Amino acid sequence: MPKQGSINIYTIIVQIPTFSDIQSAYLKIQNKVHRTPVLSSQKVNERAGGGELFFKCENFQKIGAFKFRGATHAVGELSDNNAQNGVATHSSGNHAQAVALAAKLRGIPAHIVMPKNAPGVKVRAVRDYGANITFCNPTQEAREATLEEVVAETGATFIHPYDNLDIIMGQGTAALELLEEHPKLDMLLAPVGGGGLMSGSAIAASGLAAYTKVIGTEPEIANDAYLSFNSGELYPVQSTNTVADGLRTSLSELTFSCIQKHVDDIITVKEQEIIDTMRFVWERMKIIIEPSSAVPVAAAFNHIDTHDQQVGIIISGGNMDLDHLPWMK
Amino acid sequence: MPKQGSINIYTIIVQIPTFSDIQSAYLKIQNKVHRTPVLSSQKVNERAGGGELFFKCENFQKIGAFKFRGATHAVGELSDNNAQNGVATHSSGNHAQAVALAAKLRGIPAHIVMPKNAPGVKVRAVRDYGANITFCNPTQEAREATLEEVVAETGATFIHPYDNLDIIMGQGTAALELLEEHPKLDMLLAPVGGGGLMSGSAIAASGLAAYTKVIGTEPEIANDAYLSFNSGELYPVQSTNTVADGLRTSLSELTFSCIQKHVDDIITVKEQEIIDTMRFVWERMKIIIEPSSAVPVAAAFNHIDTHDQQVGIIISGGNMDLDHLPWMK
């Protein structure tokens, strides 16, 4: 224990994935994931004020979101010995479905802890992939405690939705595909929730397109990444009701380190901008994107000068409750 | 005048387009329309009970519907002399937007008669393409009378939404593209409203794929084509509130003739089947299709044995009011 009055310098060393890790992940998963299309639209370009926007459409990915990439990679990396006890996670969203399907395709058990108030449609989706579901009280503590019990009982390997190297490597493969098709992007935009997609995307760009400006985007009322990025200190997200329900989580030390190293800027958008943008894309492009996916598009529409720029945007997913659209009160 | 008691046989000769007419239309419009993608989905195939369904996605066409193909062809066929006075039509739907945009791209005036209770969003869309709008009372008689006045005043050429050879030839180019990419279809399905799309599609199939069974589909509560096809007599549609609002119109002599000659069967679907199918496609494929487009898919899901069959489906469009989704009461 240092004596009082001395100066203590702690250095935290966090190992983050490299570009070659993402290339290697891609070789392993490329035959298991969809190579999603890159779409563009004259009306979207006009709305953005010129330039060319390229949407990497992970809403067309298996399970309807990019999460299947990371889960496929993480499940695939388990040794046969570890894999036989299965995998576990807690999630009520896309990560739960992604882990459930990836486990099913490898032929191993998946144990998913879900809050007992999770929407029936999400519970059914996970169950349809053959996962074992354990319900818990709807608090973060209950989730983690229940998960620990499940892991202790089953010997399953916990797969965190973003605080996990293999997950980040897998998520980065969407940007890798986009940059292969459009190597001259001036900017690459992605949403920031827990930071797994943002980290992987930024690392992919660092290896393939060092001149591409990498911009994270998040809701103004869930601006933990913005605050962390600009202060250099990791801020947890405050309780938030942002319509972009995929972006209510906080960065981890791991994803924060990736973002500090490889992201150039973080931009926030207002709730109404997210809703208006989502509706614009549905109406003009006839594709269903979830609110989290509208966040980077809203940034391009309202806060970035895209004139004469080639702008890549990761459209993260298309899963949402069609009974409750955010423009309906 | 024949004397009383004699037998009178009237022969009505209706000239209908040929396959080569459609090929010729395609050469003229192919650089002006989008070549829309053909999409498929494992979940859709499973829901249909096996087989492979190929969606020709005219929801991604300019103005969001196949109507732009016919309008582009019809507007393009006008002589320069006739074209200078512009074109006219009455419609509150996709045909109005299609004619407005096709005229704008040729640089000639478009005069659109719309009922004064047309939704603001549709009026704005037509106005955004630079068309002149004349409002009328919301009856068929008022529409036709107002259109006649507009034509008399302006010298514009009336472009009927389906009772028009050039329109039918243009609409047939969607099936032409689909059959080029998938020449071995066992069945080709399309919705039947006024019959322009169905006629063009069936003629295209007759030339490219004579073994392909061509099936028209329509709502059970707007079954004029079904009745006409099975009786051999042209029945007008009764007043109907089918959710498939694009299919509330009646066949003309022209489209009925095409259908009699080239369509193999007509199948009807229930309203709830249309709504459930539309939602299924939105949720699983993440694409927005309008209720009329769900009609042939609903037929494949509920009324056709698609097992081991390759089934092409023309997805007619994706324009709808996102404030009023049919599964919301």
Side-chain angles (χ1 to χ4, degrees):
Chain A
M1 185 178 168
K3 61 183 181 184
Q4 271 198 322
S6 72
I7 294 169
N8 300 299
I9 300 175
Y10 297 94
T11 306
I12 298 172
I13 298 176
V14 179
Q15 187 203 351
I16 69 174
T18 64
F19 175 64
S20 69
D21 287 333
I22 293 179
Q23 286 182 302
S24 154
Y26 185 60
L27 292 176
K28 291 172 184 166
I29 69 172
Q30 64 178 332
N31 294 325
K32 299 176 181 170
V33 303
H34 285 321
R35 185 174 184 112
T36 52
V38 178
L39 301 184
S40 56
S41 152
Q42 201 179 330
K43 286 170 186 163
V44 163
N45 293 346
E46 285 166 12
R47 175 64 187 79
E52 290 179 278
L53 275 58
F54 300 102
F55 286 11
K56 175 64 174 171
C57 284
E58 290 294 299
N59 50 334
F60 297 142
Q61 187 53 264
K62 289 182 192 175
I63 75 103
F66 73 93
K67 296 272 187 185
F68 185 67
R69 294 178 180 268
T72 299
H73 184 241
V75 167
E77 289 296 281
L78 295 176
S79 68
D80 285 344
N81 208 26
N82 282 339
Q84 67 184 2
N85 293 328
V87 289
T89 198
H90 56 80
S91 162
S92 59
N94 292 334
H95 179 63
Q97 292 185 51
V99 168
L101 178 57
K104 180 186 175 189
L105 294 175
R106 185 162 176 184
I108 63 174
H111 305 279
I112 312 288
V113 173
M114 299 185 87
K116 61 188 177 192
N117 62 352
V121 59
K122 297 199 170 179
V123 175
R124 279 193 299 279
V126 169
R127 188 169 281 146
D128 282 350
Y129 293 126
N132 306 310
I133 300 176
T134 307
F135 291 100
C136 66
N137 285 322
T139 66
Q140 189 62 24
E141 296 70 38
R143 283 183 179 210
E144 289 172 8
T146 310
L147 182 76
E148 271 184 39
E149 287 169 24
V150 168
V151 166
E153 269 171 37
T154 60
T157 302
F158 172 39
I159 300 188
H160 191 281
Y162 53 88
D163 192 30
N164 177 310
L165 291 166
D166 290 323
I167 289 284
I168 292 173
M169 295 172 202
Q171 318 301 32
T173 60
L176 197 74
E177 288 178 357
L178 172 60
L179 285 161
E180 269 179 19
E181 286 176 45
H182 294 278
K184 303 280 186 194
L185 295 181
D186 297 291
M187 302 179 206
L188 176 66
L189 274 57
V192 187
L197 176 66
M198 188 75 247
S199 298
S201 302
I203 295 165
S206 75
L208 273 182
Y211 48 84
T212 300
K213 191 173 175 192
V214 179
I215 302 175
T217 59
E218 65 179 354
E220 192 175 282
I221 62 170
N223 64 344
D224 61 304
Y226 175 83
L227 294 175
S228 305
F229 182 79
N230 285 299
S231 69
E233 275 179 57
L234 184 51
Y235 278 78
V237 72
Q238 302 300 310
S239 169
T240 172
N241 265 330
T242 174
V243 65
D245 55 345
L247 308 184
R248 291 176 188 163
T249 43
S250 301
L251 299 181
S252 68
E253 286 286 354
L254 171 57
T255 54
F256 183 42
S257 299
C258 297
I259 287 170
Q260 280 187 302
K261 177 150 186 185
H262 292 297
V263 170
D264 295 297
D265 200 2
I266 293 192
I267 290 175
T268 63
V269 299
K270 295 187 191 306
E271 294 297 291
Q272 195 59 47
E273 290 171 343
I274 300 171
I275 295 169
D276 292 346
T277 299
M278 182 177 138
R279 183 166 182 155
F280 187 94
V281 170
W282 285 38
E283 285 184 342
R284 309 305 170 98
M285 292 185 71
K286 315 298 178 189
I287 62 173
I288 292 182
I289 66 170
E290 59 193 38
S292 303
S293 301
V295 169
V297 186
F301 281 4
N302 299 290
H303 302 283
I304 296 174
D305 181 5
T306 65
H307 189 67
D308 273 347
Q309 303 282 293
Q310 290 201 0
V311 182
I313 298 184
I314 312 287
I315 299 296
S316 50
N319 291 333
M320 57 182 306
D321 179 357
L322 294 178
D323 285 320
H324 297 96
L325 302 183
W327 48 80
M328 294 177 179
K329 297 300 171 192
Chain B
M1 187 175 164
K3 58 183 183 187
Q4 271 198 325
S6 71
I7 296 170
N8 300 301
I9 299 176
Y10 298 94
T11 305
I12 298 173
I13 297 176
V14 179
Q15 187 203 352
I16 69 175
T18 63
F19 175 64
S20 69
D21 287 332
I22 293 179
Q23 288 181 301
S24 153
Y26 185 60
L27 293 175
K28 291 172 185 166
I29 69 171
Q30 63 178 335
N31 294 326
K32 298 176 182 169
V33 303
H34 284 325
R35 186 175 184 111
T36 51
V38 179
L39 300 184
S40 56
S41 152
Q42 201 177 329
K43 286 170 186 164
V44 163
N45 292 345
E46 285 167 11
R47 174 64 187 79
E52 289 180 277
L53 275 57
F54 299 103
F55 287 10
K56 175 64 175 171
C57 285
E58 289 295 299
N59 50 334
F60 297 143
Q61 188 52 263
K62 288 181 193 177
I63 74 103
F66 73 92
K67 296 272 187 185
F68 184 66
R69 293 178 182 268
T72 299
H73 185 241
V75 167
E77 287 298 279
L78 295 176
S79 68
D80 285 343
N81 209 24
N82 282 339
Q84 67 185 3
N85 293 329
V87 289
T89 198
H90 57 81
S91 162
S92 59
N94 292 334
H95 179 63
Q97 291 184 52
V99 169
L101 179 57
K104 179 186 175 188
L105 294 175
R106 185 160 176 186
I108 62 175
H111 305 278
I112 312 288
V113 173
M114 300 185 88
K116 59 188 177 192
N117 62 353
V121 59
K122 297 199 170 179
V123 175
R124 278 193 299 280
V126 169
R127 188 167 282 145
D128 282 351
Y129 293 127
N132 305 311
I133 301 177
T134 306
F135 291 100
C136 67
N137 284 323
T139 67
Q140 190 62 25
E141 296 70 38
R143 283 184 179 209
E144 289 172 7
T146 309
L147 181 76
E148 270 184 41
E149 286 168 26
V150 168
V151 166
E153 267 171 39
T154 60
T157 302
F158 172 38
I159 299 188
H160 191 281
Y162 53 87
D163 193 30
N164 177 310
L165 292 166
D166 290 323
I167 288 284
I168 293 173
M169 295 172 202
Q171 318 300 32
T173 60
L176 196 75
E177 290 179 356
L178 172 60
L179 285 160
E180 269 179 19
E181 287 177 45
H182 294 277
K184 302 280 186 196
L185 296 181
D186 298 291
M187 303 179 207
L188 176 66
L189 275 57
V192 187
L197 177 67
M198 187 76 248
S199 298
S201 302
I203 296 165
S206 76
L208 273 181
Y211 48 85
T212 300
K213 191 173 175 192
V214 178
I215 302 174
T217 59
E218 65 179 353
E220 193 176 283
I221 62 170
N223 65 345
D224 61 303
Y226 175 84
L227 294 175
S228 304
F229 182 79
N230 285 299
S231 70
E233 275 178 57
L234 184 52
Y235 279 78
V237 73
Q238 302 301 309
S239 169
T240 172
N241 264 330
T242 175
V243 65
D245 55 345
L247 309 183
R248 291 176 187 161
T249 41
S250 301
L251 299 181
S252 68
E253 286 286 353
L254 170 57
T255 55
F256 183 42
S257 299
C258 298
I259 287 170
Q260 280 187 303
K261 178 149 186 186
H262 292 296
V263 170
D264 296 297
D265 200 1
I266 293 191
I267 291 176
T268 62
V269 299
K270 294 185 192 306
E271 293 295 294
Q272 194 59 46
E273 291 171 343
I274 300 171
I275 296 169
D276 292 347
T277 299
M278 183 177 138
R279 183 166 181 156
F280 188 94
V281 170
W282 285 39
E283 286 184 341
R284 308 306 169 97
M285 291 185 72
K286 314 296 179 192
I287 62 173
I288 292 182
I289 67 171
E290 60 193 35
S292 302
S293 301
V295 168
V297 186
F301 281 4
N302 300 291
H303 303 283
I304 295 175
D305 181 5
T306 64
H307 190 67
D308 274 347
Q309 303 281 295
Q310 290 201 359
V311 182
I313 298 183
I314 311 286
I315 299 295
S316 50
N319 291 334
M320 58 182 305
D321 178 358
L322 294 178
D323 285 320
H324 298 97
L325 302 183
W327 48 79
M328 294 177 179
K329 299 297 171 195

